[in-house]
Amino acid sequence: RQMCIRDRGKLSMEQAVGVPSSQPHIWVTNHVRALSALAGLFSQTGELADCAKVLEAAVKAYPGCGAMLADLCRVRIHQGSMKQAVQLVDQLHRLADEDAELFAVAMLHDGLLKAALSQLPDAIELLTKAATASGGEGDVFLQAETCRAVAAMQSGNLSQAISILENLLRSDPEVYLHPSVLFNLCTMYDLENDQTAPSKKGILVSLIQNYAPDDFDMSYLPISRP
């Protein structure tokens, strides 16, 4: 599965790596960008071991960089290295104690870890906190709600899972027509009822046609098209 090396959001690069705003360093900015780009490249090609090495170097060089810690945590979860993922989540929580903007990120990754460990009630609680703390918008909110829906489905609450993702799309279809949202909804519709799934998927196709860019790729979606 492709990892997502996320946008740093509203933080400046110096803030993201824990460099005081009074002491900006161009070389630090360029170094972090280079490490992030390299990690993203390895992630996209499925080379998670090399991606992890790059992120480990980044975390060692810039221990105050919550974004790099979060990315490394996701890689470790995907690799099944749960002991290391637990340590990284603990580090994120410690950083969040000093930086309120990292609270939602820490909750999100703690929730992802709990889901990977099949501790689904705890995962749902943490992902709900992450979505709330994110202010109901942005990348963390999207990830938290999508993962919360999957955790609800895995817990046997399929109707709740569908409602979470449908509500996400209703809130802003132009923003939340994300591949993970659409793919998971299609899968959930198939699990819910094979007979009604085609019509519900048709609604998703209509949303894509009305709100998505012209080059939107639908090839990954389990939707039958003429």
Side-chain angles (χ1 to χ4, degrees):
R1 184 183 304 176
Q2 179 176 322
M3 294 294 296
C4 178
I5 306 301
R6 293 170 301 285
D7 184 358
R8 299 325 183 207
K10 298 180 181 179
L11 295 179
S12 69
M13 189 62 66
E14 286 77 19
Q15 289 174 312
V17 299
V19 176
S21 58
S22 60
Q23 302 178 28
H25 299 291
I26 293 177
W27 66 268
V28 171
T29 300
N30 290 339
H31 189 207
V32 171
R33 285 176 175 164
L35 290 171
S36 181
L38 183 58
L41 178 62
F42 282 133
S43 171
Q44 290 170 10
T45 57
E47 299 171 82
L48 293 186
D50 289 328
C51 180
K53 288 179 183 178
V54 173
L55 291 172
E56 282 177 342
V59 168
K60 184 177 180 180
Y62 309 110
C65 181
M68 291 291 190
L69 274 173
D71 286 336
L72 181 55
C73 180
R74 294 172 76 89
V75 171
R76 292 307 187 198
I77 290 173
H78 278 256
Q79 290 179 317
S81 303
M82 297 307 173
K83 184 176 181 180
Q84 291 171 304
V86 168
Q87 294 172 346
L88 291 165
V89 165
D90 288 342
Q91 288 179 259
L92 278 172
H93 279 300
R94 286 195 293 271
L95 286 179
D97 288 339
E98 302 174 2
D99 184 351
E101 291 191 36
L102 283 175
F103 178 78
V105 175
M107 291 293 111
L108 170 64
H109 288 79
D110 202 350
L112 294 176
L113 176 61
K114 294 297 190 298
L117 294 171
S118 298
Q119 299 173 13
L120 296 177
D122 291 339
I124 291 171
E125 181 180 354
L126 288 162
L127 293 168
T128 301
K129 289 180 179 179
T132 301
S134 70
E137 61 181 7
D139 189 52
V140 171
F141 175 69
L142 172 62
Q143 293 180 63
E145 288 295 86
T146 303
C147 295
R148 184 166 73 95
V150 173
M153 178 184 68
Q154 293 173 337
S155 300
N157 298 317
L158 184 57
S159 295
Q160 180 188 13
I162 291 173
S163 293
I164 291 170
L165 296 184
E166 287 182 339
N167 289 337
L168 191 62
L169 284 177
R170 288 191 189 100
S171 68
D172 195 333
E174 190 169 0
V175 171
Y176 296 123
L177 277 174
H178 190 274
S180 62
V181 173
L182 295 170
F183 182 84
N184 281 306
L185 258 181
C186 286
T187 301
M188 291 173 188
Y189 289 153
D190 286 336
L191 291 172
E192 182 187 38
N193 190 317
D194 286 341
Q195 293 182 341
T196 60
S199 61
K200 291 185 177 182
K201 290 180 183 181
I203 295 174
L204 297 182
V205 171
S206 296
L207 287 174
I208 293 170
Q209 292 171 339
N210 287 325
Y211 293 101
D214 293 337
D215 60 351
F216 190 89
D217 182 14
M218 290 179 56
S219 63
Y220 62 90
L221 293 176
I223 297 177
S224 297
R225 292 179 293 278

